[in-house]
Amino acid sequence: MENKRNKILAISRDPRFSPNAVDRDAAIFNDVCSQLEQKGYEVIKTTEQLCLKYLDSKELATDYHAVVSMSRDKKLNEYMSRLHFNIDTVEPLFINSPEQKLKLQSRSAIRKSLKQFSQYLAPLYPYDGMCSNGYWVKSDDVNIHIMNNVVFAKDIKELYEVQKSFVEHGIDEMEVTHNIIGRHVKFYGITGEFFNYYLDDTQASLPKEVSKKIKNTAMQIANALYIDVYGGDCIVSDDNSISFVDFNDWPSFAPCREEAAKAIAGCIN
């Protein structure tokens, strides 16, 4: 391989974007880098903070065959996005693309991009009416961690109190969704055929048609968002309908890390 085609820039996630998951995020990052090295690539590991110091250097990305990034820093991804669009060649390959990572930082932007999947998303308050099961209040910016940015409210009175608390903490933009009753499913996917999900309970496994629906819909959502490495949460109601309540880029893949690391490395040829 030519030198450029042998080099990969790997950007880890800053701890401030890994609340309660610093070690798990570091583990999947290191495992992916190890897999790439086993494939013969020279992997240059760096951090979001180091990248921010060299934003004016095109060498930050253009001298690499691929950029494997867990970054969630807005400034860094904005820079990488501009660089991505200004590069005349097909290289470097970005896993995940910086412009799509920016979109995934806003819950309203995600929902706007998924209008065709509205039937599979948790209903919004007040647009979809009231909910007798309570509400989830979430900051629109998924990376705000000055407080718990996802809070349950059992009724309208409590909802207003939570919204007031958000505003007092400087969070003016928020999403309020209905609380969906059902079985909680955590899922993990990678472009191609890799897809795993795990139930939060010990009851019987889901019917095959429901499992297939979760997998197919999650993959379609990932394609619509142009994201390669993703994960999230889904609720399966008693009638076997599904509602996606969270979708994010590059989770820790804790239950299936070894398998996932090989699949992520396999995205680069």
Side-chain angles (χ1 to χ4, degrees):
M1 283 190 265
E2 296 177 3
N3 188 44
K4 180 177 178 179
R5 290 195 57 80
N6 191 42
K7 292 175 66 177
I8 292 177
L9 179 65
I11 306 174
S12 62
R13 182 169 295 154
D14 192 89
R16 71 184 189 279
F17 299 126
S18 295
N20 305 313
V22 173
D23 291 341
R24 294 193 298 273
D25 282 350
I28 183 63
F29 175 78
N30 289 326
D31 282 2
V32 169
C33 291
S34 294
Q35 288 293 325
L36 289 168
E37 289 170 344
Q38 290 177 33
K39 292 179 67 175
Y41 290 106
E42 178 186 358
V43 180
I44 312 300
K45 294 183 183 181
T46 188
T47 66
E48 293 185 85
Q49 292 301 318
L50 279 176
C51 285
L52 287 168
K53 292 182 179 180
Y54 298 99
L55 289 186
D56 293 330
S57 171
K58 286 189 176 180
E59 185 180 342
L60 186 61
T62 54
D63 282 357
Y64 296 91
H65 170 54
V67 178
V68 177
S69 175
M70 291 185 70
S71 168
R72 285 185 177 167
D73 185 274
K74 184 177 181 180
K75 184 178 180 181
L76 179 57
N77 281 307
E78 285 176 342
Y79 172 81
M80 287 290 197
S81 180
R82 291 194 300 271
L83 188 65
H84 196 193
F85 281 116
N86 290 332
I87 294 173
D88 295 328
T89 66
V90 294
E91 294 186 334
L93 168 69
F94 281 83
I95 309 287
N96 290 309
S97 79
E99 50 270 24
Q100 296 309 121
K101 288 162 69 69
L102 285 168
K103 186 177 292 183
L104 287 173
Q105 292 182 4
S106 165
R107 289 188 169 93
S108 59
I110 294 173
R111 188 173 285 267
K112 186 176 180 180
S113 298
L114 299 178
K115 288 182 179 179
Q116 70 270 42
F117 299 99
S118 58
Q119 63 178 311
Y120 298 119
L121 304 180
L124 284 174
Y125 172 84
Y127 310 104
D128 296 316
M130 308 279 281
C131 179
S132 60
N133 299 320
Y135 306 88
W136 286 100
V137 187
K138 309 172 185 179
S139 63
D140 184 66
D141 185 343
V142 301
N143 289 324
I144 288 180
H145 298 299
I146 56 175
M147 59 177 291
N148 186 1
N149 68 352
V150 179
V151 179
F152 176 72
K154 64 182 180 182
D155 52 33
I156 287 293
K157 180 181 178 182
E158 198 167 283
L159 167 61
Y160 292 157
E161 292 173 353
V162 173
Q163 288 178 311
K164 181 181 178 182
S165 176
F166 270 42
V167 172
E168 289 173 348
H169 283 83
I171 303 174
D172 297 318
E173 297 184 18
M174 59 196 84
E175 177 184 81
V176 180
T177 62
H178 292 188
N179 178 40
I180 310 298
I181 302 299
R183 302 180 70 183
H184 182 200
V185 176
K186 291 195 74 68
F187 62 87
Y188 304 90
I190 300 163
T191 187
E193 287 302 313
F194 182 95
F195 188 86
N196 284 345
Y197 76 80
Y198 303 88
L199 290 160
D200 268 4
D201 58 53
T202 57
Q203 299 177 36
S205 58
L206 295 174
K208 288 184 178 180
E209 62 272 18
V210 177
S211 297
K212 185 177 180 180
K213 186 192 299 185
I214 292 172
K215 178 181 178 179
N216 290 344
T217 306
M219 286 183 165
Q220 290 169 12
I221 288 175
N223 287 336
L225 294 172
Y226 299 98
I227 204 76
D228 303 297
V229 183
Y230 60 91
D233 300 85
C234 179
I235 304 297
V236 180
S237 300
D238 287 341
D239 62 358
N240 286 331
S241 61
I242 62 175
S243 300
F244 288 86
V245 296
D246 191 27
F247 201 94
N248 53 73
D249 73 289
W250 204 319
S252 64
F253 291 92
C256 52
R257 192 178 71 231
E258 183 176 344
E259 183 183 359
K262 292 179 181 178
I264 295 170
C267 293
I268 300 173
N269 297 310

